[in-house]
């Protein structure tokens, strides 16, 4: 037990020598993946920097506004920066959008009217959106307003059924929603190329149909964003990738100018639109977070690749695999038994900078059909760009995790999760 430096530090923090060695070997096998991640990081860092310089970001943009928030030049400039980075004509970036779900809901209600049809192009959407659409009955849903809904399932290979999407889109289809990230399902996440293919199929069936991409967890994972391949609206959460861990709240919508106007009046009130909305002092965090976002996202992707490689070496089924190209920051590991999910989540929790001493327990979260265990020790509540893990307590006992504000922290979290499984005698052996 007498080793020095990093080994000693990790030993003091509860990681044994065998685990350290196994992790280091794994990390060394990932140089080509890490080089690719860094290339994408550089491209995105310069993209964000260029947009900030073009818009002449200055200290005055960090001032707080109150009340109606008229003439909030910081807010307006930030929206111009987002429009540039995410390649749209205009943007809405607001702390009044309380989460990704709220931003997506705003865009859906802005575009859809009674009698219209909405199609989800890649199977069932993210859990919280099922309530918004009314797939799961909720007060105030789109279904309650008379918006019809259909979904095109993924093909048998787990890839988008592009021909099926083209067939499903009719003259009455007002909008198609395309979810980039797998969310909490074991499917593949969509590449920007696949998103472009889906959009081309939709537009050839109905050129007026609005294509919205749920970009949650996908920002800065590739060097292009959905509007660059034809999306009319790209929507996401600021407490995920683009907030860089610093945004304390918020959502964004980028895209066609006329649609952004509709979203703005839906968010505030008809006649008010983009001109109102105080920022209450959060502007600097939103700018600085966006500036750091490519770096933070790259760290989260490295963490995901590292975990994927580690658990694959141990014989677990992982999605995506360590060699596969990445389209979001989510990593799924099929742990196969409930105790292993609990153990993994305890390890992630013990590795957190905040609340490291608490023990995550499964609970009946609204909107889920089984108890879910969640590990998160975050500076911003619910922020999933910070290292966090979720495990629905049902077969096949998959744990989904994402984030890590720095690669070193993400790596430590995964080591700790592995060590916890080992200590509990739950590691799958013999493959
Ligand atoms: C997280 C997420 C959402 C919802 O975002 P919240 O900020 O949790 O409301 C929607 N879609 C996808 C794919 C997500 O990952």
């Amino acid at each position: 037990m007498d080793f020095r430096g990093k080994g000693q530090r990790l030993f003091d923090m509860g990681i044994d020598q065998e685990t350290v060695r196994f992790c280091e070997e794994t990390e060394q096998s990932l140089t080509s993946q890490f080089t690719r991640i860094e290339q994408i990081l550089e491209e995105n860092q310069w993209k964000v920097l260029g947009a900030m310089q073009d818009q002449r970001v200055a200290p005055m943009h960090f001032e707080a506004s109150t009340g109606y928030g008229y003439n909030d030049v910081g807010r307006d400039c930030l929206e111009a920066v987002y429009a540039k980075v995410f390649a749209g004509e205009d943007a809405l970036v607001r702390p009044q959008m309380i989460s990704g779900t709220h931003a997506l809901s705003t865009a859906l209600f802005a575009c859809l009217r009674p009698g219209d049809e909405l199609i989800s192009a890649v199977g069932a959407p993210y859990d919280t959106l099922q309530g918004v659409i009314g797939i799961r009955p909720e007060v105030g849903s789109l279904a309650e307003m008379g918006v019809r809904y259909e979904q095109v399932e993924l093909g048998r290979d787990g890839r988008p059924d592009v021909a099926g999407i083209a067939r499903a889109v009719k003259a009455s289809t007002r909008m198609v929603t395309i979810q980039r990230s797998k969310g909490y399902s074991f499917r593949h996440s969509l590449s920007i190329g696949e998103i472009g293919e889906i959009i081309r199929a939709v537009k050839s069936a109905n050129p007026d149909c609005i294509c919205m991409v749920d970009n949650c967890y996908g920002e800065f994972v590739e060097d292009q964003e959905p509007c660059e391949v034809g999306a009319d609206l790209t929507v996401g959460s600021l407490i995920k990738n683009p907030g860089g861990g610093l945004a304390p709240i918020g959502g964004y919508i980028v895209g066609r100018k006329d649609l952004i106007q509709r979203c703005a009046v839906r968010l505030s009130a008809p006649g008010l639109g983009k001109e109102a909305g105080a920022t209450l002092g959060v502007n600097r965090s939103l700018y600085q977070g966006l500036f750091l976002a490519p770096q933070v996202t790259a760290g989260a992707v490295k963490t995901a690749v590292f975990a994927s490689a580690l658990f694959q070496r141990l014989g677990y089924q992982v999605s995506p695999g360590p060699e596969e190209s990445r389209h979001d920051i989510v990593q799924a590991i099929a742990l196969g038994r409930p105790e292993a999910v609990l153990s993994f989540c305890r390890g992630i929790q013990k590795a957190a900078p905040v609340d490291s001493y608490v023990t995550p327990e499964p609970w009946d979260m609204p909107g889920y059909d089984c108890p879910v265990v969640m590990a998160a020790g975050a500076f911003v509540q619910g922020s999933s760009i910070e290292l966090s893990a979720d495990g629905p307590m049902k077969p096949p006992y998959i744990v989904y995790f994402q984030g890590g504000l720095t690669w070193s922290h993400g790596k430590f979290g995964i080591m700790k999760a592995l060590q916890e499984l080992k200590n509990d005698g739950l590691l799958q052996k013999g493959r």
Side-chain angles (χ1 to χ4, degrees):
M1 298 305 154
D2 189 37
F3 48 101
R4 268 166 279 141
K6 180 154 72 171
Q8 184 63 53
R9 164 85 58 210
L10 287 170
F11 183 78
D12 292 344
M13 294 178 83
I15 314 279
D16 70 30
Q17 216 171 348
E18 189 189 23
T19 303
V20 173
R21 260 199 228 106
F22 187 68
C23 290
E24 300 224 306
E25 271 168 36
T26 305
E27 185 181 342
Q28 278 156 20
S29 74
L30 298 171
T31 45
S32 68
Q33 286 95 320
F34 283 14
T35 302
R36 177 81 193 116
I37 293 167
E38 270 148 34
Q39 285 164 349
I40 294 171
L41 157 60
E42 289 194 338
E43 184 60 32
N44 285 323
Q45 185 67 76
W46 298 333
K47 186 196 283 185
V48 170
L49 177 63
M52 290 188 173
Q53 292 179 346
D54 276 356
Q55 296 304 320
R56 304 173 68 91
V57 173
M60 68 174 179
H61 293 131
F62 309 147
E63 299 297 323
S65 65
T66 56
Y68 290 156
Y70 290 140
N71 305 313
D72 186 327
V73 291
R75 176 196 67 206
D76 296 347
C77 176
L78 181 68
E79 290 182 336
V81 170
Y82 260 77
K84 187 109 189 157
V85 168
F86 290 96
E89 293 169 359
D90 202 354
L92 197 60
V93 184
R94 301 287 164 128
Q96 284 80 14
M97 289 196 267
I98 61 172
S99 67
T101 304
H102 189 194
L104 288 156
S105 175
T106 301
L108 290 167
F109 277 93
C111 297
L112 293 160
R113 293 293 174 268
D116 284 348
E117 183 189 57
L118 167 70
I119 290 180
S120 170
V122 284
Y126 193 77
D127 252 277
T128 55
L129 283 183
Q130 302 195 10
V132 173
I133 295 167
I135 305 169
R136 185 180 70 242
E138 289 285 354
V139 173
S141 70
L142 288 165
E144 201 185 80
M145 284 213 323
V147 172
R148 289 172 297 127
Y149 171 77
E150 218 187 286
Q151 73 192 33
V152 179
E153 299 302 334
L154 292 163
R156 236 173 287 139
D157 56 357
R159 299 290 175 186
D161 175 8
V162 178
I165 294 165
R167 274 196 304 278
V169 173
K170 296 175 279 299
S172 60
T173 308
R174 175 86 178 126
M175 193 171 190
V176 169
T177 176
I178 304 162
Q179 185 179 307
R180 182 171 176 181
S181 169
K182 66 165 75 62
Y184 300 125
S185 64
F186 215 66
R187 77 156 163 96
H188 297 282
S189 296
L190 303 180
S191 68
I192 288 291
E194 285 173 308
I195 292 171
E197 232 184 294
I198 294 171
I199 293 170
R200 280 194 298 280
V202 171
K203 297 285 184 183
S204 64
N206 175 358
D208 296 329
C209 183
I210 299 165
C211 291
M212 176 181 85
V213 174
D214 174 352
N215 208 26
C216 284
Y217 287 140
E219 298 91 351
F220 305 124
V221 174
E222 295 185 61
D223 59 8
Q224 276 192 307
E225 297 294 340
C227 286
E228 292 174 78
V229 292
D232 298 298
L233 289 174
T234 298
V235 186
S237 165
L238 300 195
I239 61 168
K240 293 182 179 173
N241 311 14
L246 294 186
I249 191 169
Y252 76 90
I253 307 174
V254 174
R256 250 168 56 189
K257 200 170 179 66
D258 60 320
L259 299 177
I260 295 299
Q261 173 63 14
R262 282 185 171 276
C263 292
V265 300
R266 166 71 205 184
L267 178 66
S268 58
L272 292 186
K274 285 188 75 184
E275 282 69 43
T279 50
L280 305 168
V282 301
N283 277 348
R284 188 169 50 79
S285 305
L286 303 196
Y287 280 101
Q288 200 173 359
L290 179 66
F291 183 69
L292 292 177
Q295 172 82 47
V296 171
T297 302
V301 177
K302 279 187 183 176
T303 301
V305 171
F306 174 64
S308 176
L310 209 59
F311 280 86
Q312 188 181 66
R313 277 183 78 191
L314 290 163
Y316 292 91
Q317 210 191 330
V318 292
S319 175
E323 321 264 311
E324 279 180 69
S325 62
R326 298 269 155 172
H327 312 300
D328 66 11
I329 62 168
V330 181
Q331 179 65 46
I333 304 170
L335 291 170
R337 45 206 284 206
E339 314 84 69
V341 171
L342 291 174
S343 187
F344 184 98
C345 289
R346 272 198 303 272
I348 295 291
Q349 189 74 40
K350 284 184 183 176
V354 180
D355 282 342
S356 61
Y357 55 88
V358 307
T359 306
E361 299 283 355
W363 62 298
D364 289 304
M365 267 189 74
Y368 287 84
D369 57 1
C370 66
V372 182
V373 60
M374 292 194 163
F379 294 101
V380 172
Q381 189 194 108
S383 165
S384 46
I385 186 61
E386 301 186 50
L387 189 63
S388 46
D390 303 53
M393 298 304 285
K394 63 179 178 189
Y397 298 102
I398 296 167
V399 74
Y400 297 90
F401 80 86
Q402 64 275 315
L405 291 183
T406 69
W407 152 233
S408 315
H409 177 238
K411 174 175 156 181
F412 179 75
I414 298 306
M415 289 171 114
K416 194 79 184 158
L418 177 58
Q419 185 72 51
E420 195 75 10
L421 281 161
K422 188 181 169 194
N423 293 352
D424 292 343
L426 292 168
L427 271 190
Q428 189 167 305
K429 291 261 164 62
R431 278 196 234 176

